[in-house]
Amino acid sequence: MKPLAFILIAFVHAYLFPGCSNYKKLSAAYDSYGPPAIVSSRAHNMPIARDISGKDEDFTEQKKLLEKMSHQWEDSIKPLGGNGDRFFLPAPEKFSALEQASGDSAFAVNALSGEFTLETLEIIAYLRNKGIASAQKAFNGKLQGYTQVSNTDDILRQYSAFTQAIMTGVGSMEDRDSPAMKFPFPGIMALKGQIVGLEVKIAAEELETARKSAVSASRRVYWNLGYYYSAIEITGSMLEFFDQLEISARRRYEVGKAGLQDVIRVQIQKATMAEELITLKEEQKNLKTNILNILDLPSGSKIGFPAIREPRMGLPEIEKITALAFERSQDLRKMKASIGRMERMIEMAETEIYPGLTQNLSLFENKAVNQVGSIRTDEPFSVVSKAYAGEGLPKNPWFGSANAYILETRERLKALQNDLKNAENETMVNVREAWFRLHRAIREERLFSRKIRELSRLSAEIAGLRYEAGVAEMKDVIEFYMSWLESGLNSQKRKIQIEIARADLEEIVGSSF
């Protein structure tokens, strides 16, 4: 019975499962199988699969480009860097000699002790001003945006490389990343990079504005301080003349040729001038305190006196400096960069929510086939009916709410463009008014220095001689002497106003000339 059953089972297996009897042949055929020649030739020409790091060549190139742009911006804002359109560019040798002042207050105070030049004050302000330091930090913060543009996607790529199953389903492993992750223009990442670039430009213009304000303030305080030194000297000399005039009045009073009121008039005028001299000295101290503020120096630091030189009498052409203002003004540049940033923000929003033009080459991603079996993660087909599945409808069903934001941003863009035009018109007016103040200061300086001051001096001397001769009254003599004093002060003030008006004009234009 048993042999019969064994024979029956062997017979059933032999006829019902013939493959099992040829298992070795099947296994050998499977191991030696190769695709047809046409398939092998095509596979040979296909690109090699990328490594599991998930990095894309385009993405890597764009990261390198962003790093290069970041370094270029860092070089452009260095004190001796830039492309020639900086508001103030110090002489390299002078800057190197004073660079220690940036972190050494004692060195800065020592550089300003005794007689110091305008360039020395400008460079130390350039190195120590807190407004510049604050703008520098803000710029450095904006510069970090370049790394933030690609950092998030770089992390996501690494995460995807280590967690995603290496199952391509069909074809090679080429281009496993989502088309949405691609960086080159007009992708979202490229627009983000451009937006960051414009934000950095805005920060750079704000930094240059801070530098311009600090340098311009140092120029104004320098020339004003020089005026007060000159005014104190002129007033002190005039007091000596009034001392001689008082001696003359006393002698005439003692011999009965003049009344006591002549002596009293001189004494009153001397007291008034002495009080004015105190005021001038206090104003001088205020200006030195202002220097300490601009340079961030300790309170009580001793500041010397400026090396006053003759003012520059040249007058630039109004047409040229107006054109230069439209080109170099930091405020206008910042507004233009803001407009560019908003334009790219609108473009980025439109790219995210509106269906763009496509050749249908990137509708499907080369994802792992995980749609069936126990490891299924995606449904093989749609399981719900979507409102935006029809032909011609947008990719995002909620684009309507975002569209309202885009419409609002477009109106804000138009408003900003109008603001730019208005700012250009105001710049033209401001340049004209500043140029007029410079022109008037030059004309008035020539008038007071070449004519009025000399005539006032002659009139005062003649009046003094006539008083001693007894043919002039003391009140007339005092009036001529005060006219002489006033003309001397006005002459010096006009010289200083030339340089102050020039500093104001350069600040409006955004460039030194």
Side-chain angles (χ1 to χ4, degrees):
M1 187 66 182
K2 290 183 178 180
L4 181 62
F6 179 78
I7 294 172
L8 180 61
I9 293 173
F11 175 81
V12 170
H13 276 275
Y15 284 93
L16 296 182
F17 305 102
C20 296
S21 61
N22 298 323
Y23 174 75
K24 292 182 178 181
K25 294 182 180 180
L26 290 173
S27 178
Y30 180 81
D31 292 338
S32 62
Y33 173 78
I38 185 172
V39 176
S40 300
S41 63
R42 294 185 60 184
H44 178 72
N45 295 326
M46 294 182 71
I48 299 174
R50 300 176 183 177
D51 57 37
I52 62 172
S53 64
K55 291 186 178 180
D56 184 89
E57 293 180 1
D58 294 333
F59 185 81
T60 303
E61 289 297 324
Q62 291 296 332
K63 286 182 62 178
K64 292 180 180 178
L65 179 61
L66 288 177
E67 292 176 359
K68 179 180 178 181
M69 295 171 64
S70 178
H71 293 320
Q72 288 176 345
W73 276 113
E74 289 178 348
D75 294 338
S76 69
I77 57 93
K78 290 180 179 179
L80 300 180
N83 54 3
D85 60 351
R86 302 282 290 276
F87 176 79
F88 171 68
L89 193 62
E93 62 280 358
K94 188 70 173 179
F95 183 84
S96 300
L98 294 172
E99 194 169 6
Q100 184 180 345
S102 60
D104 191 344
S105 299
F107 183 88
V109 173
N110 183 64
L112 295 174
S113 62
E115 186 179 49
F116 60 90
T117 63
L118 174 60
E119 188 176 15
T120 299
L121 183 62
E122 290 172 337
I123 293 176
I124 297 179
Y126 205 77
L127 292 169
R128 297 187 55 86
N129 183 261
K130 284 302 179 183
I132 296 178
S134 177
Q136 177 74 61
K137 294 297 183 182
F139 174 82
N140 293 339
K142 290 294 183 181
L143 207 59
Q144 299 305 313
Y146 277 115
T147 59
Q148 296 173 8
V149 168
S150 58
N151 190 46
T152 302
D153 286 297
D154 203 8
I155 294 174
L156 291 176
R157 283 167 177 267
Q158 295 178 15
Y159 175 80
S160 175
F162 288 111
T163 59
Q164 184 174 351
I166 307 177
M167 298 172 59
T168 59
V170 292
S172 70
M173 293 172 58
E174 178 69 18
D175 205 12
R176 291 170 45 239
D177 294 325
S178 164
M181 295 285 286
K182 295 300 181 184
F183 193 87
F185 187 85
I188 297 299
M189 294 297 293
L191 291 173
K192 288 181 180 179
Q194 293 181 20
I195 290 173
V196 170
L198 291 169
E199 288 179 347
V200 172
K201 181 175 178 58
I202 293 173
E205 296 300 339
E206 291 176 346
L207 172 59
E208 191 65 17
T209 300
R211 290 172 170 175
K212 177 182 69 174
S213 299
V215 171
S216 298
S218 64
R219 289 173 178 174
R220 282 189 284 265
V221 73
Y222 177 88
W223 290 107
N224 277 317
L225 184 60
Y227 164 74
Y228 280 102
Y229 269 100
S230 300
I232 290 172
E233 182 181 356
I234 293 172
T235 304
S237 299
M238 191 58 62
L239 270 174
E240 294 178 1
F241 281 108
F242 271 87
D243 287 338
Q244 297 297 325
L245 192 59
E246 182 181 4
I247 294 174
S248 178
R250 286 183 178 276
R251 288 175 180 174
R252 289 181 57 78
Y253 170 70
E254 291 174 355
V255 297
K257 293 183 178 180
L260 182 60
Q261 64 272 17
D262 289 352
V263 179
I264 295 175
R265 284 194 180 99
V266 176
Q267 291 177 343
I268 292 174
Q269 197 61 50
K270 282 181 58 180
T272 303
M273 291 177 62
E275 192 65 30
E276 182 63 25
L277 189 60
I278 295 175
T279 301
L280 292 174
K281 291 180 179 179
E282 292 300 321
E283 289 286 351
Q284 185 185 80
K285 293 179 181 178
N286 291 343
L287 291 172
K288 290 185 177 181
T289 303
N290 195 7
I291 291 178
L292 300 181
N293 175 47
I294 294 173
L295 307 186
D296 188 37
L297 292 175
S299 176
S301 300
K302 302 299 182 181
I303 302 297
F305 56 94
I308 298 299
R309 62 176 187 267
E310 288 297 313
R312 294 168 291 172
M313 304 299 292
L315 182 67
E317 297 181 12
I318 182 64
E319 293 80 8
K320 290 184 178 180
I321 60 171
T322 301
L324 187 63
F326 288 151
E327 176 186 354
R328 299 282 185 88
S329 173
Q330 288 76 26
D331 294 335
L332 296 181
R333 284 182 170 185
K334 186 168 65 174
M335 294 185 70
K336 291 176 182 178
S338 299
I339 290 175
R341 179 183 61 178
M342 189 170 293
E343 289 174 344
R344 284 155 181 80
M345 290 174 64
I346 293 174
E347 185 176 356
M348 185 173 69
E350 291 175 343
T351 304
E352 288 178 332
I353 68 171
Y354 288 154
L357 296 176
T358 177
Q359 296 177 343
N360 294 334
L361 300 179
S362 300
L363 294 181
F364 301 98
E365 301 175 9
N366 191 1
K367 297 173 60 178
V369 183
N370 294 342
Q371 297 177 338
V372 294
S374 60
I375 61 172
R376 181 180 67 182
T377 58
D378 298 324
E379 296 290 344
F381 304 99
S382 299
V383 296
V384 294
S385 178
K386 300 180 180 179
Y388 58 95
E391 182 179 357
L393 293 179
K395 293 183 293 184
N396 189 343
W398 298 105
F399 83 100
S401 60
N403 184 58
Y405 164 76
I406 292 181
L407 294 177
E408 175 191 353
T409 309
R410 285 174 179 166
E411 293 301 319
R412 291 171 57 191
L413 175 61
K414 293 178 182 178
L416 194 57
Q417 290 171 341
N418 290 330
D419 289 341
L420 174 62
K421 182 60 179 177
N422 185 54
E424 290 176 343
N425 294 335
E426 290 182 353
T427 299
M428 182 172 59
V429 174
N430 293 336
V431 168
R432 173 66 194 182
E433 291 179 348
W435 181 88
F436 167 74
R437 290 194 294 270
L438 175 60
H439 188 204
R440 183 180 63 183
I442 293 174
R443 290 186 289 106
E444 291 180 349
E445 192 277 334
R446 289 172 178 170
L447 175 64
F448 279 95
S449 297
R450 298 181 183 181
K451 293 183 179 180
I452 296 180
R453 184 177 62 181
E454 185 63 21
L455 293 175
S456 298
R457 182 187 67 81
L458 291 174
S459 298
E461 291 179 353
I462 293 173
L465 294 175
R466 295 186 67 209
Y467 176 77
E468 292 180 358
V471 295
E473 296 183 3
M474 177 56 70
K475 62 178 183 179
D476 296 329
V477 176
I478 292 177
E479 182 179 352
F480 282 116
Y481 269 84
M482 292 305 298
S483 178
W484 182 17
L485 172 63
E486 185 178 354
S487 64
L489 294 176
N490 282 330
S491 176
Q492 191 62 36
K493 183 178 293 184
R494 294 308 185 276
K495 289 183 179 180
I496 301 304
Q497 284 181 346
I498 290 175
E499 291 296 339
I500 293 177
R502 193 180 299 276
D504 293 340
L505 180 58
E506 290 176 342
E507 186 173 14
I508 294 172
V509 173
S511 176
S512 300
F513 49 83

